[in-house]
Amino acid sequence: MSSVPRLVIAAPSSGSGKTTVATGLMAAFAARGLDVSPHKVGPDYIDPGYHTLASGRVGRNLDAYLCGPELVGPLFLHGSRGCDIAVVEGVMGLYDGAAGEGELASTAHVAKLLRAPVVLVVDASSQSRSVSALVHGFASWDPQVRVGGVILNKVASDRHEELLRDALDSAGVPVLGVLRRAARVDTPSRHLGLVPVAERHAAAVEAVAAMGAQVEAGCDLEGLLGLARSAGALSCAAWDAAEVLAPAAEPLMDAAPPPPLPAPTPGAAPPDPRFRPEGPRPRTPPEGAPPDGLKDAKRRVRVAVAGGPAFTFSYAEHAELLTAAGAEVVAFDPLRDEQLPDGTAGLVIGGGFPEVYAAELSANEPLRKAVAALARSGAPVAAECAGLLYLCRELDGLTMCGVLDASARMSERLTLGYRDAVAVGDSSLAVAGTRLRAHEFHRTVVEPGSGAAPAWGVRSPRRRVEGFVQQGVHASYLHTHWAAEPGVARRFVERCRTS
């Protein structure tokens, strides 16, 4: 049984201040010397970068749609191992989940799976007495969701605070914090949300410090810590990459694996924490024995993973799974590095913002040629969303790698949502018929949208094929979480050995 103290930070709707409060709490608790485990509900890649800055530990996602409800607890325990407290930032409104799927993947769903108390962040900027009705409604909607406190955000004055507190006296939910309006904690946004930490490192550090100071000054940290300690014990075991890749744990390894992953992130010069995860260290095998994740004593193969400001989207578990499967994971920056790491046997190019850096990516001709040569050799290349754009012939008229006979451009239309998909054919990542859940999030268009051998048949919200499979290349718009289908990492690494 595990009882890591934990809080879920939720809100009635998006834009209420969850990220400010959650990130500020992480920073404030860390400043007090606590080891804080940061988590984000849903598929979002950007908020965890701010969480990493605030806590000093890699931010991790908890997505009951992508990974299944059964993995939420184990993945949480994996990330929070050894921590004093965990802070989980919710997604959208407290009860908003996957469209048409009821509570699935909502913040409320994850809070119940974690047996964690919820702190409701309320934007109080345009209300006074009505706040009591709002909080009462959210606290009573689902008896299994325990709203243990409220933090009032964007409070205008002492008088406004007094009115809000008086109104909430009858709601039965304690006020655990009051935050005044503060422009200095605002973080810039653009077409897909907040600007990632890796693109504004110094400014992001300053913003996170300001969030921490504001929360420290305006919130009852002792009361919040006490609430976190009231979380129920979890009976599941912590997820472990080596264990899920053990042969006994994976009887269907060749019958059901999925696709592409993203890459490194959070900060600037220091090595990306995603490639030195804080969970259990890989076990040292006895002398002469093969490393974890290998059936026989083969050398590790080098897998290059794109990172830097242009490719900041990644789930930490992907690098952990690749390592457990027998890969040496090496990060590189397509904006700066003119060659792939020496000895690269496979390449992962994840999500991010290549459209913002298209000119710089195009100008790095030596790397573009190296990527194209690797793809022509038949080596496995997993490209996801931003990686798909980078492999195209051109992006907004600028030359890219030319691996795919397709062009990409920015679009006014936002494509966003969970997807239900099936692998159309065999690839370096999946065998034909593999079913998985994924997430799509972009404002770009690739023409054509699929190749002669598509990567996926998308079954919802509408039926279509998308993506490209050619030689060892698997390129798609779909984001997936490999913890849901860990065999994909073994399959990818084995293709690196044999290609």
Side-chain angles (χ1 to χ4, degrees):
M1 302 284 280
S2 176
S3 55
V4 179
R6 53 198 177 274
L7 297 170
V8 172
I9 308 303
S13 65
S14 296
S16 299
K18 291 190 304 292
T19 300
T20 295
V21 171
T23 306
L25 279 174
M26 293 170 194
F29 283 134
R32 291 193 168 196
L34 298 179
D35 198 350
V36 182
S37 181
H39 302 265
K40 171 69 180 180
V41 177
D44 182 273
Y45 293 105
I46 298 175
D47 290 348
Y50 288 87
H51 298 170
T52 295
L53 273 187
S55 67
R57 293 173 65 96
V58 63
R60 295 176 183 269
N61 295 71
L62 300 171
D63 195 311
Y65 186 93
L66 293 183
C67 296
E70 69 279 1
L71 277 183
V72 168
L75 287 171
F76 169 80
L77 292 176
H78 170 61
S80 62
R81 195 189 306 260
C83 285
D84 300 307
I85 187 170
V87 178
V88 181
E89 180 185 344
V91 61
M92 301 186 294
L94 174 59
Y95 295 107
D96 300 324
E101 298 282 352
E103 73 170 4
L104 178 64
S106 67
T107 302
H109 187 204
V110 170
K112 290 196 284 188
L113 291 169
L114 295 180
R115 305 187 68 196
V118 171
V119 176
L120 194 68
V121 179
V122 176
D123 179 351
S125 58
S126 299
Q127 58 184 313
S128 58
R129 190 166 178 264
S130 295
V131 72
S132 181
L134 184 148
V135 171
H136 173 75
F138 274 85
S140 60
W141 178 260
D142 183 343
Q144 295 182 47
V145 175
R146 180 161 63 100
V147 177
V150 177
I151 293 177
L152 300 170
N153 191 28
K154 299 182 182 179
V155 175
S157 64
D158 290 345
R159 176 57 177 160
H160 188 200
E161 178 181 341
E162 182 182 349
L163 291 171
L164 293 166
R165 285 184 178 276
D166 286 348
L168 285 167
D169 281 345
S170 63
V173 180
V175 176
L176 295 177
V178 175
L179 304 181
R180 299 297 171 86
R181 295 168 184 164
R184 65 189 179 127
V185 302
D186 287 345
T187 51
S189 299
R190 60 172 179 232
H191 58 284
L192 293 183
L194 296 180
V195 176
V197 163
E199 297 186 44
R200 54 185 301 266
H201 187 72
V205 169
E206 184 178 337
V208 167
M211 293 178 202
Q214 187 184 23
V215 166
E216 172 76 35
C219 293
D220 177 4
L221 294 184
E222 288 302 320
L224 287 160
L225 184 57
L227 180 63
R229 288 173 175 151
S230 73
L234 297 177
S235 59
C236 56
W239 182 88
D240 180 271
E243 289 181 3
V244 299
L245 283 175
E250 213 176 359
L252 301 178
M253 190 267 295
D254 273 337
L261 82 158
T265 228
D272 193 320
R274 294 179 190 275
F275 296 93
R276 42 180 178 78
E278 61 275 358
R281 301 286 186 246
R283 293 186 289 271
T284 302
E287 188 173 349
D292 281 346
L294 298 178
K295 291 180 179 177
D296 26 63
K298 301 173 182 176
R299 64 177 178 81
R300 287 191 174 272
V301 291
R302 179 165 283 191
V303 174
V305 181
F311 298 98
T312 56
F313 292 5
S314 175
Y315 297 129
E317 292 81 5
H318 291 176
E320 294 168 359
L321 284 164
L322 287 168
T323 299
E328 176 194 3
V329 179
V330 181
F332 73 103
D333 184 351
L335 295 180
R336 297 187 304 175
D337 298 325
E338 294 190 341
Q339 295 297 326
L340 293 169
D342 290 343
T344 293
L347 175 61
V348 172
I349 316 171
F353 293 95
E355 62 271 26
V356 176
Y357 297 95
E360 293 94 327
L361 292 170
S362 182
N364 192 350
E365 183 179 4
L367 182 64
R368 290 192 290 103
K369 288 184 174 179
V371 169
L374 184 74
R376 284 195 304 271
S377 76
V381 178
E384 180 175 274
C385 199
L388 165 66
L389 306 184
Y390 187 50
L391 294 187
C392 285
R393 187 176 58 253
E394 62 179 12
L395 171 56
D396 285 337
L398 295 168
T399 303
M400 293 291 120
C401 295
V403 173
L404 305 174
D405 187 17
S407 63
R409 58 177 173 80
M410 285 292 293
S411 168
E412 292 296 319
R413 180 173 176 269
L414 174 63
T415 300
L416 170 67
Y418 286 121
R419 304 290 183 253
D420 188 9
V422 60
V424 176
D426 292 350
S427 72
S428 58
L429 291 172
V431 296
T434 297
R435 294 176 58 180
L436 74 149
R437 285 177 160 178
H439 187 258
E440 197 169 5
F441 186 41
H442 58 89
R443 283 190 187 271
T444 57
V445 174
V446 169
E447 297 170 332
S450 61
W456 301 107
V458 180
R459 304 191 303 155
S460 66
R462 62 182 179 84
R463 291 183 177 272
R464 59 188 170 93
V465 293
E466 74 91 50
F468 302 78
V469 172
Q470 59 184 55
Q471 293 183 280
V473 175
H474 186 290
S476 166
Y477 264 127
L478 301 190
H479 296 286
T480 61
H481 199 304
W482 287 12
E485 295 283 357
V488 66
R490 188 194 301 279
R491 183 177 180 86
F492 186 83
V493 171
E494 287 302 319
R495 295 306 184 274
C496 290
R497 295 187 187 289
T498 59
S499 62

